[in-house]
Amino acid sequence: MTDAYFDRADLYHGEVLVRRGRPPLDAPKRQVTLRLSPEVIDHFKAGGPGWQTRIDDALRQVIAAK
């Protein structure tokens, strides 16, 4: 982590610290409810932790291929 990361993590009004923590993302992900077939879920979960990220990556690849 860089100093720039930590500089963005704190927000000051004058000398008063207003907020601490992770800086907000420029384009945060949105939570949705999505129904997928059991075979799709089983396939991605079989790869272990990060299965939701792998589904997101697969969908992004489909979009990029168009």
Side-chain angles (χ1 to χ4, degrees), residues 34-55:
L34 179 67
R35 292 179 181 267
L36 300 171
S37 66
E39 297 84 13
V40 171
I41 294 172
D42 292 344
H43 170 80
F44 283 96
K45 278 189 169 185
W51 64 273
Q52 292 171 321
T53 300
R54 288 192 297 279
I55 291 174

Side-chain angles (χ1 to χ4, degrees), residues 16-41:
V16 178
L17 178 63
V18 180
R19 180 194 66 208
R20 293 186 55 91
R22 179 179 286 175
L25 298 172
D26 294 331
K29 292 183 178 180
R30 295 186 290 182
Q31 182 176 351
V32 298
T33 300
L34 179 67
R35 292 179 181 267
L36 300 171
S37 66
E39 297 84 13
V40 171
I41 294 172

